[in-house]
Amino acid sequence: MSRFTKFAFVAALAAVGLGLSGPSVQAQTLRIAMTASDIPTVGGIPDNGSEGYRFTGFPVYDALVNWDFSKTDQPADLTPGLATEWKADPEEPRKWIFKLRKGVKFHDGTDFTADAAMWNFDRIFNDKAANYDSAQAAIVRVSLPMLEKYEKLDDDTLVLWTKKPFSPFPYLITRVLFVSPTQFAKVGGKWVDFGKQPAGTGPFKVTKVTQRVSIEMARNEDYWDKARVPKLEKLVLVPMPEATTRLAALRSGQVDWIEVPPPDAIPSLKSAGFQISLKPYPHLWPWVLSVADNSPFKDKRVRQALNYAIDRDGLVALLNGTAKPATGFYDPTYPAFGKPKTTYNFDPAKAKALLKEAGFGPDKPVKAKIMISTSGSGQMMPIPMNEFLQQNLKEAGFDIEYNVVDWGTMLVAFRNPPTAAMSQGSHAVNISLPFSDPTNIYRFFHSSAMPPNGSNWGVTNDPIVDKALDEAFNTFDPAKRDELLGKANAQIVDEAYWLFIVHDLNPRAMTAKVKGFVPAQSWFQDLTQVTVVK
C-alpha cells in the first residue's frame, strides 16, 4: 500500500466514523468502498468515468431520460426521468420533443422548470454562457457531438435538434444531468463551490464532501418517484483504489460493500459468509488500438496476430471466473453481435505466422506502448491482467511496454487523438468500455466520431462500418437496427480493430447485513432499494 493510500484510507475511516457508530446507526447506513483513486466530482457531471455516474451521478441527479433498473433479467433500457415522454417529429426526424415532468423539486426546494433545463444545457453546450463549465462540457460533449441546438417550446416542452436523423438519441440524453440554478447562484456562481454544496433532483442528496476522503449522502424524502425513495438514511462513499485495502476494510467491518474484490479472495469471502455478486452486463475490457500511421497496429495482420496470441480462458481462470472471454465489441449473446467470419481463439502458431507475413519475427518483435491504469471504473485488476497478457504476447513475438497512469489521466487521453500529447506516445489504451446502449459503437468506431467529436481514439476509418452505423441510426425499427449494428460489429471483429479480451461480470462483495440489492445488467445500479440490517 502506498504512503498516500494508507493516509487516505485512515483519514477516510476517521472522517466518516467507519466502524465507530452504534448498531442502530449502522443499520441505516451503507458504506461503499469504490475503486476510484479519488472521490468523483458531484457538481452535476461526474468525473471518474462510469463509476462516477454510478455513485455521484444517477443517485444524486436525474436526466430527461433515466435508466430503468427494474428489469434485471435483461440489459437495462430507458425509462422516463425529468421528461415524461419524448418522440422524434415524423415530419422532421432531427427534431426531438420532450415533455417535462411537473412538480419536481431540486434538493434546495426550488422547482425544476423548462428554464432550469435550458440553463443546464447552456452550462455544457454554450461556451458564451456565464454558467458554462468547460470541465463538465468535455465529459458530456464527447457523447453528444450530434446535438445541434436546443430550445424551449413552452413551459412544459423542450425541443432538441440533432445534426442528422439519429434514432437512438434518447440514450445519449442520459448523460445530461440537471442541477439547481438557484443553488449555483447561492454558492457564488462558481462550479468549484457548487461541488461542495450541490443540489440535484435525485433520490439521494449530498450532505458532506471531504476531498480525497469521502462523500456522504442522505435520503431525499421528497423524491418525485415514490417507489424509489431510498430505504437507507445515509450512503457513504470512500475511494480505495487498491484491492487489498478494500478487502481489509470489508473484512474488518469498516465498510459494508466493496467494488471488485480481489479474485483470489472470493472463495474465502464466501466461506466467511460474505455475499459475492456476479452478473453479466454490457461491458468490454479491451485494448483500444490506434491505427494511425505511426502505430504498429495499422497493419491488420498485426492486429489479428494480437487477438490470436492471448489466452482468454487462462485470464478468466486467473480472475477466478469473474469475467468471460470476449471475441468482439459485443458479447455473442447480444442481439447486435452479427456474424463475424473470424473467431479469435488462443493460437500462438497462427499469431506467429501472421507476424512473419507482416515482416516480424524472433529477431524483430513488434514493439508497442500501451497505456494502462492502476485502477478505475470497470478496470477490474489491470496490473496483474496486463502482466498476464504481456507474457502471452512476448511468446508470440510482441515486445510490449506499459505506460502506467492514473485513471483520470487515461480518461483525458481518451478524449484526445492518439497523436496528442495526452496519449504520451501510446499505441493502444486499455480502457474498459460499455455497450449499454446502441450509440456506444458509433462513438467508438464511426469515422466522424474521432476526438474531439467522439471516442474513436483509435481513429478507425472503415467505410463498411460507417455505412452500417449510418443506416442503423437512421432507422427507428429496433430489430433492423440490431441487424445493421451486427454488420458493423462483424466488420470490426474481422478487421481486429481492437484487442478483444474479456467481458467483466461486475463483481462486488458485501456483508451478509446488506439486503435488497438486485444487480442490474448495467454499469449503473439502483441503490434505493438496499438496506443494511442489524
Side-chain angles (χ1 to χ4, degrees), residues 84-122:
T84 57
E85 58 183 277
W86 56 88
K87 65 178 181 180
D89 187 330
E91 301 298 322
E92 173 50 274
R94 295 188 306 114
K95 179 182 178 182
W96 287 84
I97 302 165
F98 290 80
K99 289 292 183 181
L100 301 185
R101 187 178 299 277
K102 298 178 181 179
V104 176
K105 291 190 178 293
F106 290 105
H107 297 152
D108 60 2
T110 58
D111 293 326
F112 170 75
T113 63
D115 290 330
M118 291 292 292
W119 183 94
N120 273 271
F121 276 100
D122 277 346

Side-chain angles (χ1 to χ4, degrees), residues 455-503:
S455 301
N456 182 1
W457 181 89
V459 295
T460 302
N461 186 354
D462 187 317
I464 295 176
V465 173
D466 283 359
K467 183 176 186 293
L469 293 179
D470 288 337
E471 291 178 358
F473 296 143
N474 198 38
T475 179
F476 286 77
D477 180 343
K480 181 64 175 176
R481 186 170 63 203
D482 282 342
E483 178 186 341
L484 290 162
L485 293 180
K487 289 183 178 180
N489 184 65
Q491 178 71 0
I492 289 164
V493 171
D494 291 337
E495 292 293 318
Y497 284 124
W498 289 4
L499 173 59
F500 309 109
I501 307 172
V502 293
H503 296 295

Side-chain angles (χ1 to χ4, degrees), residues 68-215:
D68 182 2
F69 302 120
S70 64
K71 302 178 181 69
T72 57
D73 61 339
Q74 57 189 274
D77 206 7
L78 303 181
T79 191
L82 296 178
T84 57
E85 58 183 277
W86 56 88
K87 65 178 181 180
D89 187 330
E91 301 298 322
E92 173 50 274
R94 295 188 306 114
K95 179 182 178 182
W96 287 84
I97 302 165
F98 290 80
K99 289 292 183 181
L100 301 185
R101 187 178 299 277
K102 298 178 181 179
V104 176
K105 291 190 178 293
F106 290 105
H107 297 152
D108 60 2
T110 58
D111 293 326
F112 170 75
T113 63
D115 290 330
M118 291 292 292
W119 183 94
N120 273 271
F121 276 100
D122 277 346
R123 76 186 168 103
I124 297 167
F125 296 103
N126 182 3
D127 60 7
K128 302 295 191 296
N131 64 326
Y132 179 73
D133 185 337
S134 59
Q136 297 189 60
I139 295 171
V140 175
R141 293 177 78 154
V142 73
S143 302
L144 273 168
M146 67 289 297
L147 178 65
E148 183 175 66
K149 60 182 179 179
Y150 47 94
E151 55 194 17
K152 171 186 170 183
L153 186 62
D154 55 46
D155 287 344
D156 300 319
T157 314
L158 291 185
V159 176
L160 307 182
W161 291 79
T162 56
K163 295 174 183 175
K164 60 182 181 180
F166 198 78
S167 62
F169 180 67
Y171 288 93
L172 298 181
I173 293 302
T174 61
R175 274 81 163 179
V176 181
L177 305 179
F178 291 82
V179 309
S180 165
T182 302
Q183 180 68 7
F184 178 75
K186 181 179 178 180
V187 299
K190 294 182 179 179
W191 286 110
V192 65
D193 294 323
F194 180 85
K196 299 172 185 176
Q197 301 177 64
T201 63
F204 289 92
K205 50 188 177 183
V206 175
T207 56
K208 185 177 181 181
V209 177
T210 306
Q211 292 301 323
R212 292 192 171 275
V213 174
S214 66
I215 298 170

